[in-house]
Amino acid sequence: MSTLPASLPGGTWTLGDLTVTRFGYGAMQLAGPWVMGPPADHDGALAVLREAVDLGITHIDTADAYGPHITNRLIREALHPYSDSLHIVTKVGATRDEQGGWPPARKPDDLRRAVRENLENLGLDVLDLVNLRLGDAQGPVPGSLAEAFETLVDLQKQGLIRHLGVSNATPEQVAEARSIAPIVSVQNMYNLAHRHDDDLIDELAEQGIAYVPFFPLGGFTPLQSSVLTAVAARLNATPMSVALAWLLQRSPNILLIPGTSSVAHLRENVAGAGLPLSDVDLAELDRIGR
């Protein structure tokens, strides 16, 4: 059985004027298969959200496209009225089709509707942080984000959004967004095997901007997985624990949002992220993505 740390691993980070735990929770897996429809265990989904808050997590990541609408409604049912310390981060820029795809929805009317639906389904008057989702399911796609991002800036000026960020973005798109308005976070795929954003992470850290990696175990080759598994075995830990702990130790501006639909797995993730890694461990792990 995992032993939970006295406090959440990694401490806290400040998103603008919002203080959040660096260990957060991603709600995507609370929806049904392929992130469509309701969960098989409705009460179990509510229990996971309540456990996250009970563990001290103050950063929950979601999107109204999950389900669609399902995860936001579960969050509202489980946690509303929200405590002042809890901050819900959402994203807009993609929707769902009947085949379970994620077609882009970044026209101004799409974004205004998405912000309105997030507010309604979460039961909020203002969204703490909205990330503009760019690219597609295969990853970032180069191109200007100006029209879409300026739409969110306008909604921010109307008082519907506190802070802005970007997701699935190229470094050039991050720079373009920052030239338009301040951002507090970038949410991209990044892990031990995919180190393409190393320079961006370091640059953002210098600017006090959070970097939120998704797919902490995505895209490993068999050889890379073997190295990770060997380190985990030596530490009597799971590969997921090692991957999460490495991310927290990679840079102080990295925030974690691992998702799960299980209370037990949530607690394992919290305990695992606090795994101490030695210099030898870190050196061996760093070679995976090089």
Side-chain angles (χ1 to χ4, degrees):
M1 179 180 294
S2 299
T3 300
L4 290 172
S7 60
L8 288 169
T12 61
W13 181 264
T14 301
L15 297 166
D17 61 349
L18 309 175
T19 299
V20 299
T21 50
R22 287 182 65 206
F23 190 98
Y25 171 72
M28 184 173 73
Q29 293 187 30
L30 293 183
W34 305 104
V35 201
M36 291 289 285
D41 183 358
H42 180 90
D43 290 343
L46 300 181
V48 170
L49 288 162
R50 291 168 179 151
E51 178 70 9
V53 171
D54 288 345
L55 289 172
I57 290 171
T58 62
H59 171 201
I60 292 180
D61 182 85
T62 186
D64 210 51
Y66 298 162
H69 314 304
I70 296 298
T71 62
N72 280 357
R73 291 171 181 169
L74 288 168
I75 290 169
R76 180 175 184 172
E77 182 179 354
L79 303 176
H80 194 278
Y82 308 111
S83 71
D84 291 341
S85 63
L86 180 63
H87 301 296
I88 299 172
V89 177
T90 189
K91 63 184 71 65
V92 295
T95 186
R96 304 305 304 276
D97 59 29
E98 293 181 356
Q99 291 73 42
W102 300 83
R106 293 190 286 269
K107 296 297 184 183
D109 285 347
D110 296 329
L111 298 172
R112 294 187 192 103
R113 179 172 58 255
V115 167
R116 184 175 65 250
E117 289 176 347
N118 273 279
L119 288 166
E120 179 181 347
N121 287 318
L122 287 167
L124 291 168
D125 296 321
V126 57
L127 298 170
D128 281 336
L129 168 55
V130 175
N131 287 308
L132 174 63
R133 173 75 174 184
L134 300 164
D136 57 28
Q138 281 68 54
V141 175
S144 176
L145 52 65
E147 181 184 46
F149 196 70
E150 287 167 357
T151 300
L152 294 184
V153 172
D154 183 59
L155 293 169
Q156 184 183 42
K157 291 176 180 177
Q158 294 176 37
L160 300 179
I161 301 171
R162 285 195 176 90
H163 299 290
L164 297 172
V166 292
S167 175
N168 206 31
T170 66
E172 292 76 19
Q173 288 166 335
V174 172
E176 184 182 17
R178 294 183 62 198
S179 74
I180 297 170
I183 64 171
V184 301
S185 72
V186 173
Q187 190 179 107
N188 278 0
M189 179 179 175
Y190 178 83
N191 57 42
L192 273 165
H194 289 266
R195 305 284 298 275
H196 50 279
D197 273 354
D198 271 337
D199 291 342
L200 178 61
I201 289 170
D202 295 339
E203 176 188 341
L204 294 175
E206 293 177 356
Q207 301 298 323
I209 298 171
Y211 185 92
V212 187
F214 55 81
F215 295 139
L217 278 181
F220 278 64
T221 66
L223 178 60
Q224 291 169 331
S225 294
S226 296
V227 174
L228 176 60
T229 300
V231 174
R234 185 173 70 232
L235 297 174
N236 193 28
T238 67
M240 182 65 163
S241 294
V242 174
L244 293 176
W246 178 84
L247 285 167
L248 272 186
Q249 294 181 51
R250 163 64 181 82
S251 181
N253 66 323
I254 288 183
L255 312 185
L256 302 184
I257 51 168
T260 179
S261 58
S262 159
V263 167
H265 190 207
L266 172 63
R267 293 172 69 87
E268 289 171 5
N269 284 342
V270 171
L275 180 72
L277 299 175
S278 69
D279 290 343
V280 172
D281 298 328
L282 291 171
E284 189 170 343
L285 293 167
D286 278 341
R287 288 196 293 270
I288 290 177
R290 300 294 187 179

